[in-house]
Amino acid sequence: MKNKKLFIVLFLILTCCLSCEKDQMNESNERIALIDKINIENGRLSFANKTAFLEFYNTSKKESNDAIASMLEERFYKNNFYSLKPIVNDETEVKEVQKHFAKIRQQQLINKSINSKNASQIADGILLDEAIIDHYDIAEDIIGDELFLSLLNEDAEIQVDDIIYKYTDQGVLFCNKEKIYELYHFMQIYQIKSLSEIGEMNVYGYPKFNPNGGLKQVTANITSFVDDKVTENNSSALPKPISNESLTASISPIFNNVVDNLEVCNPKSPWLANLFGKTKVCTTNYESKRRVKLKYYNVNLFLAYSIGVKVKNQFRGWTGIWREENTNEVALGVNSVTWFFDNSKIFSNNSNSMIANYYVTDTGKLYTSLNSYNNAIYAGTNKPIPNLPFKKLDMIIEVAADYIGKDLTEYQIRKLFYGSIYGQAEKIMKSLNKPMNEIGVIINQRGQTIVQYYNLGTSCTNCSDRQKTFDWAVVSPKITYTFGAGNGGDLNVKTGFNDLKFDFKNPKVTGINIYGMVNKNGTWHGFKMVF
C-alpha cells in the first residue's frame, strides 16, 4: 500500500516536471519562431508587418538583460547588424563594443562631416571613445526604452513591412523604402539630425513642418510623427519632496528603514525626449566604476508605446561603456504612480454617501464599506472587476464620494491611501492568506478622478536590475470606466460615475513616487524619485 502511494506521488511529481519542461520548451520554440521571421535588409532589422514587430518586441521585453544580449549577439550581431546602442553582458561586451565603435568610426570617415563644435572629442580626426559612450547615454535617455534602442540600427533606422522609420532630433520620419533618399534629402533641407549623429543633435522645439505634433504627411511620400503636445506638470502645484518622507509600505519590513532614509533625487529630463513623450532619469556613482540608474519613461515611439520604471546596477569596464552588472540585491518600489483626470460626472446620491469597494482580483471577491474606508463587509464573489489598464494586480480599490478634498495632489492621495485605505486592504488579504504586492486605486469625486498604481516592492538577489513595465499592448492606452460595476445590485447606491473615458497617455497631470536601490557588499545605494 505504501509503495502504491509512493508511486502515485512520484508519478504526479514527474508529470508536473514534464509539464513545466514542455511549457518552457514551447515558450522557447515560440521565441525562436519569432526571431526566425526577422531579416536584416541593408543593415536594418526588417519585420514582415507591425504585428510581427510587436510580438517580438513584447516577448523580448520579458527577457533578462543577459538573455537579450545573448540573443542579439547570436542572431543579429554575428550577421553584421549594429545597434544604435548595443545591449551587452560580460561575455559579449568586449567583442561587440569594439565592433560597434569601429563601425561608428568607419561611418564617420565615410561621411567626412565632423561638426567643429566637437573638436575636443576628436583626436586625429577620430572620435574619442568618451564621445561615443556619452552619446549612448544621451540616446538611451531620449528613447527611454533600451530594447527599442537596440533594435534601431547604427543609423537609427528600422524597417517594418516596406516602410523605413528614421528616428531623429525632430521626431520620427518614415517612408516607403524606395523613397529613402528622398527622406534623406528632406532631412538636409530642414537640417534634421539623426539620433545616430554624435554631438550634432539640436534642440529646436517642435519642428516647423509638424508644429503641433501628432501624425502628419509632410510631403507626398514622407510622414512625420512627433508625440502630441501635452501640458507639463506644474511643479509649483505639487508638494515639495521630503527626503525622509515615510508614506510608503513594503513587502519586506527590512526595506522600510532603508527606503525612508533614501534621498530624493533631482531627475533630469532631456528636452528631446518630449518629442517622443517623457523620460526622467537619476544617476549616482557609488564607486569610481559603479553606479545606480533609476528612470521613469512614458514614450510613444509610434511603433510601440512604452511606459515603465527601472532601476539598474551598472559597471564601467575597460571598454568604457556602462553595462548592467549583477550585484548582491536590487530593489524597486512604486510608492505611487498617479494619473489625474477631469470628469464631468458628479456624485448623484442625495445623501452624499461615500462608498469604498475592495476587489480581490483572482476570485472577484468584493468587500464594500459605506461612509467609511474601514469596516468593509463581504458583498459577493465573481464580481466584475473595474476596468483598469494594469495587469496582474492583487487588489483593486475604488472610492466614490461627492467631496474628498479640493484639487487633490499626488501627495495627498498617497497620504489618504497609506493612512486610511491600506490598513483595510491589508486586513482583507491577510484574512484570505493572500499576498498584496500590486494594487490599483481609483478615487472619484466631483470634477476629479484619480487613478493610482502601487507596487509595494520587488527585489532580486544576484541580479542587475528590477523593472515594472505597464504592458498595455496598445499605442494609446484608453479605457471606459464605470464605478461599482462589481456591486451587482447588492447596494442601492447611485454614484453618477458612469462611462468615464480616460486616456492614460494624456492625463491632466501625472505624479510619481518611486524608489530604486542596489546592495553591494551589505551597503544600499539608491534614491527616491518624486515629481
Side-chain angles (χ1 to χ4, degrees):
M1 188 67 178
K2 289 183 179 179
N3 290 337
K4 185 177 181 180
K5 289 182 178 180
L6 178 61
F7 174 79
I8 293 172
V9 171
L10 291 174
F11 176 78
L12 292 173
I13 293 173
L14 179 61
T15 301
C16 181
C17 291
L18 290 175
S19 177
C20 293
E21 185 177 342
K22 183 178 180 180
D23 289 342
Q24 292 174 352
M25 187 177 298
N26 288 337
E27 289 178 5
S28 178
N29 290 337
E30 287 175 5
R31 286 195 295 270
I32 293 171
L34 290 173
I35 295 171
D36 286 341
K37 294 177 182 178
I38 305 170
N39 297 316
I40 299 175
E41 185 173 329
N42 295 321
R44 307 177 192 95
L45 292 186
S46 176
F47 296 81
N49 49 51
K50 193 170 182 179
T51 299
F53 169 79
L54 287 174
E55 285 180 350
F56 172 77
Y57 172 76
N58 290 326
T59 300
S60 299
K61 281 176 71 172
K62 301 172 186 177
E63 299 290 336
S64 68
N65 183 82
D66 274 351
I68 293 172
S70 297
M71 178 270 293
L72 289 170
E73 161 74 15
E74 288 295 324
R75 305 307 294 261
F76 302 131
Y77 295 158
K78 282 186 176 180
N79 294 308
N80 294 320
F81 172 76
Y82 296 85
S83 293
L84 181 58
K85 181 188 177 184
I87 293 178
V88 296
N89 54 27
D90 56 354
E91 294 181 359
T92 65
E93 177 187 4
V94 174
K95 178 182 177 182
E96 290 309 328
V97 169
Q98 288 179 340
K99 279 178 58 179
H100 278 71
F101 280 20
K103 182 69 173 179
I104 291 171
R105 293 195 177 96
Q106 180 188 36
Q107 191 65 41
Q108 175 219 351
L109 293 174
I110 292 173
N111 293 338
K112 294 182 180 179
S113 59
I114 302 173
N115 196 310
S116 60
K117 68 183 176 183
N118 301 312
S120 63
Q121 294 182 314
I122 301 165
D124 299 324
I126 301 297
L127 281 168
L128 297 177
D129 287 356
E130 198 65 33
I132 301 173
I133 294 165
D134 288 346
H135 185 77
Y136 279 165
D137 271 355
I138 291 169
E140 180 187 327
D141 291 349
I142 291 171
I143 294 294
D145 187 325
E146 297 156 65
L147 173 63
F148 191 90
L149 193 65
S150 73
L151 301 180
L152 301 180
N153 74 352
E154 76 273 18
D155 295 319
E157 297 173 1
I158 190 171
Q159 181 173 323
V160 178
D161 199 354
D162 288 330
I163 306 299
I164 293 175
Y165 297 82
K166 177 82 173 180
Y167 287 75
T168 77
D169 63 357
Q170 296 191 46
V172 188
L173 296 171
F174 56 94
C175 65
N176 187 280
K177 63 182 181 181
E178 303 297 333
K179 304 295 182 180
I180 189 62
Y181 289 101
E182 184 179 327
L183 187 150
Y184 295 154
H185 182 62
F186 180 85
M187 290 177 64
Q188 288 179 339
I189 293 173
Y190 284 92
Q191 296 183 316
I192 302 168
K193 301 298 183 182
S194 169
L195 290 188
S196 61
E197 296 186 59
I198 296 175
E200 299 207 19
M201 292 185 293
N202 296 296
V203 178
Y204 290 107
Y206 280 76
K208 293 179 180 179
F209 52 83
N210 192 356
N212 296 316
L215 191 65
K216 184 177 180 181
Q217 192 85 19
V218 292
T219 74
N221 298 310
I222 301 170
T223 303
S224 162
F225 175 78
V226 182
D227 194 37
D228 292 328
K229 281 187 174 180
V230 295
T231 303
E232 284 291 307
N233 291 352
N234 182 359
S235 59
S236 64
L238 297 174
K240 299 298 181 183
I242 304 173
S243 61
N244 62 351
E245 179 184 309
S246 60
L247 295 178
T248 61
S250 172
I251 56 173
S252 173
I254 297 174
F255 283 165
N256 282 336
N257 290 334
V258 178
V259 173
D260 288 346
N261 290 313
L262 290 176
E263 292 187 1
V264 177
C265 67
N266 183 22
K268 65 177 181 177
S269 182
W271 191 91
L272 271 182
N274 288 349
L275 294 174
F276 305 104
K278 178 186 293 185
T279 63
K280 299 281 187 180
V281 182
C282 288
T283 305
T284 184
N285 288 53
Y286 64 88
E287 292 178 4
S288 61
K289 293 185 177 182
R290 286 185 171 87
R291 71 182 187 184
V292 185
K293 191 169 187 177
L294 177 65
K295 68 179 178 181
Y296 161 82
Y297 54 95
N298 184 346
V299 290
N300 189 345
L301 304 168
F302 189 72
L303 288 175
Y305 179 84
S306 184
I307 177 171
V309 293
K310 181 176 182 177
V311 61
K312 56 184 177 180
N313 185 64
Q314 291 185 303
F315 172 73
R316 191 174 192 180
W318 72 269
T319 64
I321 192 173
W322 289 98
R323 66 165 175 82
E324 292 190 19
E325 178 195 50
N326 287 354
T327 188
N328 300 101
E329 190 170 5
V330 180
L332 173 70
V334 180
N335 295 329
S336 66
V337 179
T338 309
W339 293 267
F340 294 82
F341 299 99
D342 287 325
N343 66 58
S344 59
K345 306 287 185 178
I346 63 171
F347 189 70
S348 59
N349 186 348
N350 294 331
S351 66
N352 289 333
S353 297
M354 184 200 76
I355 182 170
N357 289 330
Y358 297 79
Y359 297 86
V360 182
T361 57
D362 64 342
T363 61
K365 284 188 176 181
L366 170 63
Y367 297 79
T368 297
S369 178
L370 288 173
N371 299 317
S372 170
Y373 297 108
N374 301 308
N375 304 316
I377 61 173
Y378 175 68
T381 301
N382 296 323
K383 298 294 185 179
I385 303 297
N387 184 28
L388 279 181
F390 315 128
K391 297 180 179 179
K392 300 179 181 178
L393 295 175
D394 299 307
M395 175 170 276
I396 293 177
I397 303 161
E398 58 176 0
V399 176
D402 178 59
Y403 181 78
I404 299 174
K406 181 177 175 57
D407 298 325
L408 293 172
T409 65
E410 185 275 338
Y411 176 84
Q412 291 170 323
I413 290 293
R414 186 157 38 88
K415 184 177 180 180
L416 173 67
F417 171 76
Y418 284 115
S420 301
I421 299 174
Y422 176 77
Q424 176 66 79
E426 184 180 41
K427 180 179 178 181
I428 291 171
M429 297 302 275
K430 281 187 175 180
S431 71
L432 299 173
N433 195 27
K434 291 180 178 293
M436 186 175 68
N437 300 331
E438 298 189 62
I439 308 165
V441 180
I442 313 159
I443 306 289
N444 299 280
Q445 68 169 347
R446 185 190 301 267
Q448 187 182 41
T449 292
I450 303 107
V451 179
Q452 289 192 303
Y453 167 82
Y454 291 86
N455 185 317
L456 301 187
T458 176
S459 70
C460 60
T461 56
N462 191 30
C463 58
S464 62
D465 70 81
R466 287 281 84 184
Q467 65 179 320
K468 170 61 184 179
T469 58
F470 296 94
D471 183 15
W472 291 340
V474 286
V475 171
S476 184
K478 300 177 182 180
I479 67 166
T480 299
Y481 164 77
T482 294
F483 178 87
N487 282 340
D490 296 335
L491 295 164
N492 187 25
V493 177
K494 307 298 184 183
T495 69
F497 296 112
N498 302 316
D499 298 324
L500 303 182
K501 299 186 186 304
F502 302 137
D503 182 354
F504 281 76
K505 184 65 182 68
N506 292 309
K508 182 179 179 181
V509 179
T510 300
I512 192 168
N513 185 304
I514 61 175
Y515 69 83
M517 55 188 185
V518 304
N519 187 309
K520 183 71 174 179
N521 297 327
T523 302
W524 286 101
H525 310 274
F527 25 57
K528 297 175 188 173
M529 182 187 293
V530 181
F531 65 85

